[in-house]
Amino acid sequence: MTRLCIRVPKTEGERVRAELLSKGILDTGRRIGSDNGFLLIPILTDEYDDHEIIEADLEHLEHAPTDYKDALDIPEELKEYLPTSFDIIGDVAVIKLPDILLPYKNSIGDSLIKVNRSVRIVMMDSGVKGDLRIRELERIAGEGGSATIHKEFGVRMAADPSKVYFNPRLASERYRIASLVKDGEIIIDMFAGAAPFGLVICKRARPKIIYSIDINPDAERFARKSMELNRIENIVPITGDAAEAIKDLPEADRVIMNLPQTAEVFLADALSKTKVSGIVHLHKVIERSELDIFIGSMEKEAGSRGFGIIIDTVTELKTYSPTMSVYVFDIRRVE
Ligand SMILES: C[S@@+](CC[C@H](N)C(=O)[O-])C[C@H]1O[C@@H](n2cnc3c(N)ncnc32)[C@H](O)[C@@H]1O
């Protein structure tokens, strides 16, 4: 039977498969196909920005439904409100539901567990709150708490989305930054959460040391647990305000600023600890129409504090609202 899939080079296959799985849109009921050095990975949605969606004949793996919507008994007119994607963090599924579906939240949770064998509990997400960016979560199906171990590119990450920010959708961005890291780099991750960037970098590259700062004390606890799980020793978790904690650190080859709401406020602090020719990766959510204005304001702010910068690349990471997107700016410090 013909099904929707995306065609990706074999070398990219594992990364894309893991990403689709973490977004809850991998069709696990079909076998992945191959075609001339490419993989055909079955997908549960007809909208996916990163790859063109095509149709292909892929072998059916089981008779049970693979899309939670097919396992769910709710009035037909409500089905259009069901989310197409959700996050999977380890064995915890995290889903946002519109108000109209709240009376059915437990059935929705149960159907997610039914079709995703790796999911133990389902948490309903009412949004990220406060400076710590922690999700407001309510368990709607399954047993036990939300502490879990998430796997990303062979790295085991201790996480609990009710205690510390964790976003499986940043897997590709972590991979991208890790692939830029050269041997012996000193890296500062200013808003590190449970240190997922540091963990992936240590696994895929050979940095000298990574300072992982976060203001949330639970972040350090999870970072240390993951370091143990992966036998990683060159991450230094630090609990504190990045603007203060960074003052005690040596100059870095690379600074990661993953605080999309307000990262630019800390740009001068970051540049004060970035070597000349070093790179700052600054994540920022902005109006798509105001990209040039934002770049101009960063150049002006850096200049007024005595730092020269060049924007090497600007990458749109994801859509945030009809008019806004999350971007990453790779900013080079120059003389
Ligand atoms: C968007 S999250 C990013 C977490 C992490 N980079 C990841 O990919 O999972 C931003 C993090 O910044 C932390 N944070 C907010 N303000 C901070 C500050 N002034 N200094 C240090 N950390 C801060 C929050 O606790 C949160 O964990």
Side-chain angles (χ1 to χ4, degrees), residues 128 130-134 164-168 170 174 189-197 213-217 219 238-245 256-262 266 283:
V128 172
D131 282 349
L132 303 189
R133 314 303 299 152
I134 296 175
V164 60
Y165 180 92
F166 190 87
N167 187 351
L170 285 173
R174 294 193 259 273
D189 186 353
M190 290 178 75
F191 312 104
F197 276 92
I213 309 169
D214 202 283
I215 205 160
N216 178 354
I238 299 169
T239 299
D241 177 354
E244 283 303 313
I256 301 165
M257 303 183 74
N258 177 224
L259 187 66
Q261 306 298 330
T262 53
F266 299 87
H283 296 84

